[in-house]
Structure formats: structure tokens, C-alpha cells
Amino acid sequence: MPNVIASPQGESKWFKGLGEPHSFDDNPDDRAWTVDLLLDKEMADLFKGILKEHFVERFGNVKKVATNGWPFGPDTDKNEDGEAVPSGKIKFRFKRKEFNKDGAKKNAPIVVDSAKNPWPKEKLVGNGSTIRIGFRPWFWEMSGKQGMSLEWESAQVIRLEEYEQETPDVFDVVSGGTVIEQAIPDECPMPDVKDQFKEAAAATREEAKQEDLPLE
């Protein structure tokens, strides 16, 4: 198996490498850790050249690359109409399956920070974070055609963009509905009621004095 290779620095998209692997809609039993690395065209061309060198080293100059045989392609985003539009970047897909071919369970990818300290599992990595990926090229053949995948081994988070869960504001406040009372934190300072009464009484006296009103 090839040695672990470090990718260039790029932009993280859909970083799912912490905790348990996730499943796919088309095959819920095929769980894996995955991440997309986005690169601009110049850096992507250099990285693709390195990957193709490994491919040629394994298969020679074949002309039967399988459909989806390359682990990269144009990145897209969805517009307001839900249509896919090019983002201008190239996407490289890294994947680590939950089990190897012998059925042995794998560990999650190793994730570290910029100083190579262990990354906390509860600290989610948001889209747009700057990362590098440690991986091994994995080669395969199907129906006489060849392809390669990128086995995800590790990741370094160089600059974090906090993960923000989207919560679309589609509801209005409904009058008369159920309202959950919010607990007051223990450390929340409560005003002195006596002071409030004193301030209110003083304000009342001052207002009555200005308008020549009797106080009693």
C-alpha cells in the first residue's frame, strides 16, 4: 500500500471525520467518514498531476479510465432555485470506509490542529475552514476499466470556520400558544425589589411636585 501523502492546503466542505461514520441514502449499511477538499484551478491542476502519476505507476498509460474513475471534479453550489451552479473550484473527495475488505472495523481519521495537537471531537469543522488531508491512493478495476480513490487517513485544521447549523426562520409567533418558561440561571443577578420601590416612589413625588398635585 502506498505511503501516506499530504494534500495541498485547501478549503473544507462537508467535513465528516469526527465521531461515528455516516451512512448514505442509497446504501445505509455502507458507512464512512468523508470530506471534500476544494482547490483553485492552478493548485488543483498540480494536485491532479501528482495523482495521475500514481495512477500511471499502478496501471500504465491506460485509456480505459472508468466512469467516476477519478476522485475529483468541478465543485458546485445550489442557487436560490436549487439548481447546481459551478463554484469555480475543483473538488477532491476523500473517503474512509468503516470496515476494511476483511471486515475489520477502522478507526476514524486522525484530526489535529495547526500545532498538531489532537482535535476535540465535539468541535465541528465548518465549510470554508483551511485544511490539509493525509491520504493513500487506492486503486480499483471494474469491468476492464480502472479507477482510483483517496483513502482518508488524517486531517490538519489550519484555520477554523465555526460550523453554523442553518435554522430557517419560517414561523411566526402564535398568540395564546404554549410557552416554555425559561429557567433563570443561578448566576443571573436579580434586582433589589426595595430599591425599585424607592426609585418608583421618588419618581412619583417628583412628578407630583412639578404638577402641584397632592401626594395624598
Side-chain angles (χ1 to χ4, degrees), residues 70-95:
W70 294 119
F72 48 76
D75 177 56
T76 59
D77 292 319
K78 288 186 177 180
N79 60 19
E80 295 180 353
D81 297 324
E83 300 170 334
V85 294
S87 70
K89 295 182 179 293
I90 305 300
K91 173 178 65 180
F92 294 79
R93 165 58 61 94
F94 299 83
K95 181 177 181 180

Side-chain angles (χ1 to χ4, degrees), residues 3 24 65 82 85 93 110 124 130 135 144 155 160:
N3 294 327
F24 301 88
V65 179
V85 294
R93 165 58 61 94
I110 297 170
L124 300 181
T130 302
F135 69 97
L160 176 67

Side-chain angles (χ1 to χ4, degrees), residues 197-214:
F197 284 152
K198 289 180 182 179
E199 292 174 5
T204 301
R205 291 192 184 94
E206 182 64 24
E207 182 178 353
K209 182 178 179 181
Q210 292 177 358
E211 298 181 7
D212 287 327
L213 297 175

